[in-house]
Amino acid sequence: MSGRSTESIRPLSSATCELCHIRKPSLRRPKTGQKICQPCFFHVFETEIHNTITSANLFFRGERVAIGASGGKDSTVLAHVLKVLNERYDYGVGFVLLSIDEGIKGYRDDSLKTVKRNKDQYAMPLEIVSYKELYDDWSMDDIVAQIGNRNNCTYCGVFRRQALDRGAQKLGIKHVVTGHNADDMAETVLMNLLRGDTARLDRCTEIVTQSTDSPVKRSKPLKYAYEKEIVLYAHYKKLDYFSTECVYSPEAFRGTARALIKNLETVRPSAIIDIIRSGETFTLERKRGTVATKLGTCERCGYISSNRICKACVLLEGLNAGRAAVQVNGSEYEPHEGAALHKRLEHLSF
Ligand code: SF4
Ligand code: ZN
């Protein structure tokens, strides 16, 4: 459990809840500062997610949707709330838990145990796809052992994206929902702004995304849910989730953006939502004459790709070449392979 929520759990002096005006308040709502009771907190938290879903027409009756489930707080709260809302408002959606096993000892092996319990708690089918089975027997632990502790998240991100697609396709599902929350989204807006990446800045606040090289659409029903409120909700509902961070720390730039968001939130709680709203309303000047991406299939794995070889196969090529060098030379990683791979990666946009 994160310590970030403790100030919100402190007993409050106001006489009655600012929403129902009946019960005693038991928390200060992080998003608005209102002193409210627990039932009202559950109600506003769930209703806001329901409003996000309905105003974006995220689901249709009879649709089967995969929940990208990591066992962490965000995806566990997402699965729980979607189950509640599906029953309360009769969405008529069939939810399935879809987990990716990156092969990270001390992290993913334990969090997958949580997802397996969630499968029974939420009565949802569970599908697990692993990097090892998809990517020439490479786990993230193997990858980090070869490339070191830098750029590991780049590999992991490319592989996870394709793994989620492949898992969904295996299930005959075309829609994956993920647990990205408002803090994550504000962080991404800031990062794209600071990097001058206007193409991504343009897209990163969209609730539904479908890239040209993926047959599966993604959506983020928690895009307006504050991380602090997700933690509070999981705490009060006593949800079973796994709270340890990945043993391979995220890239420094994202960590810095995250710290900046947290600092801004302490002086101005609405900063998170304000950054998202700014991102949503930016009008970006588009370059003329942009060539439409031509879609094809990867020559190696046959997966949909806008390049001759898909991103995952480019990365695999470098890894396999390194593994061959290790096998030939005993223990040495072939440096040229790294340089050549880097050159090829520069031509790809992640
Ligand atoms: Fe993968 Fe990086 Fe996330 Fe760990 S922190 S799961 S290596 S993307
Ligand atoms: Zn109340």
Side-chain angles (χ1 to χ4, degrees):
M1 173 62 54
S2 164
R4 281 170 291 201
S5 60
T6 46
E7 71 188 71
S8 312
I9 300 178
R10 220 172 34 210
L12 302 164
S13 52
S14 297
T16 59
C17 164
E18 288 181 41
L19 293 178
C20 65
H21 306 288
I22 298 169
R23 291 175 288 261
K24 268 189 169 313
S26 56
L27 65 118
R28 187 184 288 278
R29 190 174 179 204
K31 202 179 202 173
T32 59
Q34 289 167 307
K35 295 169 188 169
I36 58 175
C37 68
Q38 223 182 83
C40 283
F41 172 64
F42 293 152
H43 187 256
V44 281
F45 183 81
E46 290 161 359
T47 307
E48 282 180 8
I49 296 169
H50 170 65
N51 292 342
T52 305
I53 290 168
T54 50
S55 57
N57 287 322
L58 276 197
F59 306 132
F60 59 85
R61 178 166 288 280
E63 186 178 17
R64 287 178 70 232
V65 175
I67 302 172
S70 68
K73 64 176 185 341
D74 300 305
S75 59
T76 306
V77 166
L78 179 63
H80 177 90
V81 172
L82 287 179
K83 181 178 169 58
V84 167
L85 297 177
N86 201 22
E87 288 164 7
R88 183 180 300 157
Y89 297 103
D90 191 23
Y91 291 165
V93 174
F95 288 109
V96 177
L97 299 171
L98 174 58
S99 292
I100 308 299
D101 182 0
E102 297 93 342
I104 302 174
K105 284 213 171 55
Y107 169 61
R108 187 56 80 218
D109 42 1
D110 291 330
S111 66
L112 283 175
K113 286 182 197 150
T114 314
V115 182
K116 285 175 189 159
R117 290 195 300 274
N118 293 158
K119 164 184 183 272
D120 299 327
Q121 289 154 354
Y122 302 140
M124 289 178 187
L126 167 65
E127 177 74 30
I128 302 176
V129 281
S130 74
Y131 283 5
K132 252 181 160 355
E133 74 188 64
L134 289 180
Y135 305 117
D136 296 350
D137 212 29
W138 285 96
S139 68
M140 266 319 283
D141 285 338
D142 299 334
I143 293 170
V144 174
Q146 174 150 312
I147 67 161
N149 212 344
R150 278 187 69 217
N151 294 332
N152 48 295
C153 294
T154 302
Y155 283 77
C156 198
V158 171
F159 286 167
R160 183 186 299 109
R161 208 181 153 69
Q162 206 182 86
L164 270 176
D165 276 7
R166 287 180 180 250
Q169 284 199 307
K170 200 167 157 189
L171 297 163
I173 287 177
K174 290 195 161 58
H175 186 180
V176 175
V177 289
T178 57
H180 289 92
N181 61 41
D183 299 50
D184 298 328
M185 191 167 269
E187 232 167 75
T188 308
V189 172
L190 269 190
M191 284 169 68
N192 288 332
L193 192 67
L194 296 170
R195 281 196 288 236
D197 190 339
T198 48
R200 285 194 189 167
L201 187 58
D202 200 17
R203 298 189 305 258
C204 71
T205 50
E206 286 169 4
I207 185 162
V208 180
T209 49
Q210 179 151 27
S211 69
T212 46
D213 55 2
S214 168
V216 180
K217 73 171 176 182
R218 313 280 168 114
S219 63
K220 306 181 182 86
L222 300 184
K223 74 171 273 198
Y224 297 119
Y226 274 34
E227 182 175 62
K228 279 184 176 174
E229 299 203 354
I230 289 172
V231 172
L232 273 181
Y233 187 88
H235 170 79
Y236 283 131
K237 288 277 183 186
K238 298 188 170 53
L239 300 188
D240 181 7
Y241 71 94
F242 184 76
S243 54
T244 305
E245 299 268 323
C246 174
V247 292
Y248 307 123
S249 47
E251 48 175 328
F253 191 42
R254 181 168 283 278
T256 312
R258 186 167 300 175
L260 186 56
I261 297 280
K262 293 288 171 221
N263 283 339
L264 286 170
E265 187 190 11
T266 53
V267 287
R268 182 181 160 91
S270 69
I272 293 174
I273 240 37
D274 294 340
I275 292 170
I276 297 174
R277 296 279 184 219
S278 300
E280 287 171 339
T281 47
F282 280 144
T283 310
L284 297 165
E285 192 185 328
R286 287 174 201 277
K287 284 201 182 130
R288 265 163 236 216
T290 317
V291 186
T293 322
K294 239 177 84 196
L295 214 57
T297 49
C298 168
E299 283 177 9
R300 299 264 163 82
C301 70
Y303 202 70
I304 296 175
S305 173
S306 46
N307 296 297
R308 201 168 55 80
I309 297 172
C310 77
K311 291 166 192 168
C313 281
V314 169
L315 294 174
L316 270 181
E317 185 186 18
L319 288 170
N320 286 332
R323 183 188 267 165
V326 169
Q327 280 159 0
V328 172
N329 301 336
S331 65
E332 276 304 299
Y333 168 61
E334 180 56 67
H336 300 301
E337 290 301 336
L341 174 68
H342 219 262
K343 270 211 147 336
R344 298 189 59 179
L345 285 176
E346 282 169 9
H347 298 291
L348 298 174
S349 59
F350 291 113

